Amino acid sequence: MSQHGKGGRTVKATETTFAIIEGLEELDGARVTELAGHLGLAASTIHSHLSTLYEMRYVVKEGDKYQLGSRFLKLGEAAKERKEAFDMIEPKVEELAQETEERCQFIVIEHGRGVYLHRETGNRAVWTDSGLGKRIFLHATAAGKSVLANLPQERVERILDQWGLPALTENTITDRAALFDELDTIRKQGFAVNKEESTEGLRAVGVPIMDSSGRMVGALSVSGPSHRMKGEWFEQEIPNLLLGTANELELNLKYS
């Protein structure tokens, strides 16, 4: 077994299994030799782990190519619905997408990253790489910054120590002091904005969702192309829609 920082001891074989699972997802299925090259592991090691996953029905084999099996869907749904609040939020994501005609998403924070849990697209929404389960840097998105603004500073510092402030576009905030200044502004106005900080040509507005005890549940955001996300629509109307939705959700969470 190997040491893994403050998390304690980890099992190397388990790490290898999950590296293989993630490798299959990244490659959209692969042969043993392709996975071996991708992960830098021996083909015999890959084959042993895949054989086990196959017998447990977590992967399927199409010819000589392995793919993730549908058994992962059940686990994904369990993760998606592990809190009652998540079920209450999903229809609100759909309502916002329909009303704004843009893309709306809900993220949660796990291990210092944001994870897309719900996503809906309106009639005019543009497609971006934001599939369910995708992990994002918090400092470069509206939803992520609204999360950071409502966490204790010590926790924000730990997240930044762990993940840094990588530049995703030329507009990404990469200076820690500048980020903390923006988080102060977000706390005062109640919402965060993303002006092409994660994806060129894309803007977004995000708000946090808190439970009745003031703990972070996650964050909602609406995103769209920069040529539409501007003026009063971007600066007032969408923020007000999101703040109203967040207020309604928080009341429902408090009294449900």
Side-chain angles (χ1 to χ4, degrees):
M1 292 191 288
S2 62
Q3 285 295 125
H4 186 64
K6 294 182 179 179
R9 298 179 68 83
T10 61
V11 179
K12 186 64 178 177
T14 304
E15 292 176 351
T16 300
T17 295
F18 279 97
I20 289 169
I21 291 169
E22 291 176 353
L24 286 175
E25 188 272 331
E26 291 164 6
L27 297 173
D28 193 21
R31 298 173 179 83
V32 171
T33 52
E34 291 172 336
L35 262 179
H38 180 68
L39 298 173
L41 295 170
S44 58
T45 299
I46 299 289
H47 186 265
S48 295
H49 285 267
L50 284 175
S51 295
T52 302
L53 288 166
Y54 180 83
E55 289 300 320
M56 296 180 69
R57 299 183 178 83
Y58 280 103
V59 301
V60 295
K61 193 174 181 183
E62 299 171 356
D64 59 351
K65 189 174 182 179
Y66 288 89
Q67 300 273 6
L68 296 179
S70 58
R71 191 167 185 180
F72 281 105
L73 290 173
K74 183 178 180 181
L75 300 181
E77 283 299 311
K80 187 178 172 183
E81 298 172 0
R82 70 181 186 273
K83 291 185 179 180
E84 182 182 358
F86 297 164
D87 283 338
M88 297 173 64
I89 290 166
E90 186 170 17
K92 293 300 179 184
V93 173
E94 184 175 352
E95 286 177 20
L96 281 167
Q98 291 176 348
E99 188 164 358
T100 62
E101 297 188 301
E102 301 290 0
R103 197 186 74 218
C104 181
Q105 47 270 315
F106 171 71
I107 71 163
V108 294
I109 181 173
E110 288 185 356
H111 304 290
R113 299 284 293 274
V115 182
Y116 287 106
L117 203 65
H118 296 305
R119 186 196 64 183
E120 292 290 341
T121 53
N123 291 334
R124 299 194 299 169
V126 295
W127 178 260
T128 61
D129 183 21
S130 58
L132 297 183
K134 178 179 172 63
R135 281 168 159 68
I136 59 172
F137 290 102
L138 296 172
H139 73 288
T141 64
K145 286 189 289 184
S146 70
V147 166
L148 290 175
N150 288 277
L151 294 177
Q153 182 165 334
E154 318 84 73
R155 187 174 178 191
V156 176
E157 294 278 9
R158 289 198 302 271
I159 290 171
L160 300 184
D161 288 343
Q162 181 179 11
W163 297 108
L165 293 168
L168 306 184
T169 74
E170 63 180 16
N171 297 313
T172 308
I173 297 174
T174 56
D175 177 76
R176 192 173 290 214
L179 177 64
F180 278 109
D181 285 344
E182 179 150 349
L183 296 183
D184 285 338
T185 299
I186 292 165
R187 279 189 288 272
K188 291 172 185 174
Q189 66 188 16
F191 64 90
V193 296
N194 165 10
K195 298 180 178 180
E196 301 188 51
E197 296 161 51
S198 59
T199 304
E200 291 183 8
L202 193 77
R203 286 184 162 196
V205 182
V207 297
I209 305 296
M210 315 295 285
D211 68 14
S212 58
S213 61
R215 289 176 298 194
M216 175 64 60
V217 176
L220 283 172
S221 68
V222 171
S223 56
S226 297
H227 73 274
R228 288 202 298 264
M229 301 287 276
K230 60 184 180 181
E232 187 176 345
W233 174 240
F234 180 67
E235 295 167 6
Q236 295 180 33
E237 293 183 37
I238 292 179
N240 287 338
L241 273 173
L242 282 166
L243 289 168
T245 301
N247 180 247
E248 184 179 341
L249 277 169
E250 288 169 357
L251 286 171
N252 286 338
L253 290 172
K254 183 176 181 178
Y255 294 108
S256 62

